[in-house]
Structure formats: C-alpha cells, structure tokens
Amino acid sequence: AVFAGVPLRLLVDGFGWRPVMIVSAVVTFGVGIAIWSLVRDDPSEKGYTSYAQTSAAPGGQSMGVVAGIKAVLRYRNSWLLCLAPSGMTGCILTFSGLWGIPFLTTHYQMTTTEAASVCSALLVAWAVGGPVLGALSDRMGKRKPLYVLGSAILLICWGIVILVPGLPIFIVVGLLLIAGFASGSIIIGFAYAKESVPPHLAGTISGITNMGVMLGPMVLQPAVGLMLDLNGSSVMANGLKVYSWSAYRAGFSLMLAMTALALLMLLLSKDTNCRQHE
C-alpha cells in the first residue's frame, strides 16, 4: 500500500501503467509461489517447537467450513468485531487509495506527487500503529480500551479534516498521520475476536474478521464517488472532474458515518481477558 503512493506514481510516469501492472502481477505471483514452497502450517514441520493450541472441536471431531461459520456467528462479539474494522479501514483506504489525492490537489493546492506522499505517509503511520498499539494491548492485558480509543481518535481527526475547510497544510497532514496511526488499532481486533470464541474456531473467526476489514473500502470507495457526483458542483480540467468542497464534504461524510458506527460497535462489544489465552 505504501508503494502504491509516490513510487507507483513515478513508475507509471516513467513507464506507463500497463507495464507497471504486469510487473506487479508477476512479482505477486512469485511471492505466492515462495509462500507455497517455504511456509508451513506449523513450526514443527520445520523442526521447531510448536505453540499451537489444539484445533479440534469438542469431542475431537473436525468441523466443516459451514458449521464453523455458523458456530462463530453465534457469538455476539463476532458480528461486532467483523463490522467495526470496516469503518476504520474503509476510511483509510478510501482516502489514501482513491479520493485523497484529488482532494488534496484541488483544495490544498498540493502537487500530485506531494499529495501521493501524504497518502503514503498516512499508510506508513497506519503500519506503525499496528504493532505499537498491539504491544500496548498485550501489556495492558485488555483489548477493548485501545481499540475504542483508536476509533474515537480516528473519528475526531476525520471530523476536523472533513468539516473544517481551509485548514493550514501542516494541520491537515498532522491530522491524517494521527488518523493513520490510530487506525492501526484494527490489528487488535484479530486478537480480540480470536479470544471471543473457543480455540478451535480461531481460524474461522480470523477469516470472518478479515472480511469485515475489506468490506469497508469495497463499499466506501464507490459510495463516496457516487456522493461526489450527486452533491455539489464539478468542472472539467484536463479531462477529469474537479469537485467542489461541498461535494467532498458530502462524500467524505459517509466515511465519518462509518467511523462513528465502528466506534458504537466497539463500545457494545464485550472485552476479553487476554491473560487467560497466553
């Protein structure tokens, strides 16, 4: 995601988008082959000590995919922790991956490269926030407080950026970096969800939680675009639409609403004692 900012922009400018996408596909395929060849399900397969908990269902019987999903969805936290990260991730990837660059170039007079740099920096902050906040959660022995705090900080930062026009550039960049770092708290959600169900459902709940992570940008990116077209005025420049501030405010308000919904779901979730799962 970080390389999708400035490095990708420079490569596309230098070689065109098609060769860059082809090389990206080849590299990704190579990574897949390497994972298949080198990674194992358990450290014991490489001669190391295994720390895995038993994955068998009660009674020692393996559980099918559909049965596992049904079992996971019986737990209230599963629903809440699946949908909550969609709002947080949706905001970050909708802004940094699609609408942030045109917004910053249009209303804060940044160059395309400068705007791409800000979006990349936001993603770096996101990447840093994950292990830092995850480690703090481990030290505290609780999941919910930092997850809620990260969501609340994200809501405040987005609210200021979206609702207050004409901010100084350094404040906008600062708020975006803070929002990125706070969004790193979504990584806590995987441990939180895993501790909310019996050990034999750990893989299933992780997959369902990850579905929620990707649901946000999948929905928000086109939804924001639709709101941009439906609200406010736009003009054509170099063959592209340039949207007004009111149009961006209407579109980005969907991001704000999704973040508020994420915060509400986290507040309704039940915290776990991660010490019991060590």
Side-chain angles (χ1 to χ4, degrees):
V2 173
F3 276 100
V6 176
L8 180 63
R9 179 72 193 189
L10 295 175
L11 288 170
V12 170
D13 288 343
F15 301 98
W17 71 267
R18 194 181 300 275
V20 172
M21 291 298 101
I22 291 174
V23 171
S24 176
V26 171
V27 170
T28 304
F29 183 78
V31 171
I33 294 296
I35 292 172
W36 181 265
S37 302
L38 300 174
V39 177
R40 297 293 179 265
D41 288 327
D42 192 89
S44 61
E45 297 178 48
K46 287 284 191 176
Y48 298 102
T49 302
S50 175
Y51 293 93
Q53 294 177 327
T54 176
S55 60
Q61 299 295 321
S62 61
M63 182 175 288
V65 174
V66 175
I69 293 174
K70 288 181 177 179
V72 162
L73 295 180
R74 294 192 187 105
Y75 294 87
R76 176 183 174 187
N77 264 15
S78 299
W79 292 91
L80 297 172
L81 298 177
C82 169
L83 297 175
S86 65
M88 301 176 72
T89 307
C91 291
I92 294 295
L93 295 183
T94 297
F95 187 89
S96 63
L98 188 58
W99 296 113
I101 291 177
F103 171 72
L104 293 173
T105 54
T106 301
H107 295 287
Y108 287 96
Q109 291 71 53
M110 292 185 181
T111 65
T112 302
T113 301
E114 289 171 343
S117 299
V118 172
C119 291
S120 290
L122 186 156
L123 292 171
V124 171
W126 191 27
V128 172
V132 171
L133 295 172
L136 287 174
S137 174
D138 285 342
R139 177 165 293 192
M140 291 172 59
K142 291 186 176 295
R143 304 304 184 193
K144 182 175 178 177
L146 281 178
Y147 205 175
V148 169
L149 179 62
S151 181
I153 291 173
L154 178 65
L155 180 63
I156 293 170
C157 290
W158 280 129
I160 297 173
V161 170
I162 293 169
L163 300 178
V164 182
L167 292 169
I169 293 294
F170 73 93
I171 291 181
V172 173
V173 173
L175 288 170
L176 291 175
L177 292 179
I178 294 171
F181 183 86
S183 295
S185 61
I186 68 161
I187 204 68
I188 298 173
F190 287 94
Y192 194 0
K194 184 179 175 181
E195 294 162 3
S196 299
V197 299
H200 69 277
L201 297 174
T204 306
I205 188 65
S206 297
I208 289 176
T209 302
N210 199 49
M211 287 174 58
V213 170
M214 301 313 299
L215 178 65
M218 182 184 77
V219 172
L220 274 178
Q221 287 188 352
V224 169
L226 179 62
M227 289 295 286
L228 287 172
D229 285 336
L230 293 177
N231 292 271
S233 58
S234 63
V235 297
M236 298 298 294
N238 299 321
L240 299 173
K241 282 187 177 181
V242 177
Y243 295 99
S244 65
W245 176 271
S246 61
Y248 274 112
R249 183 169 56 190
F252 288 167
S253 291
L254 295 178
M255 296 161 46
L256 200 60
M258 286 281 283
T259 307
L261 184 61
L263 177 58
L264 176 61
M265 290 181 177
L266 292 175
L267 289 171
L268 293 175
S269 66
K270 183 178 180 181
D271 203 0
T272 58
N273 185 352
C274 62
R275 304 294 188 201
Q276 295 177 354
H277 298 266
E278 293 180 349

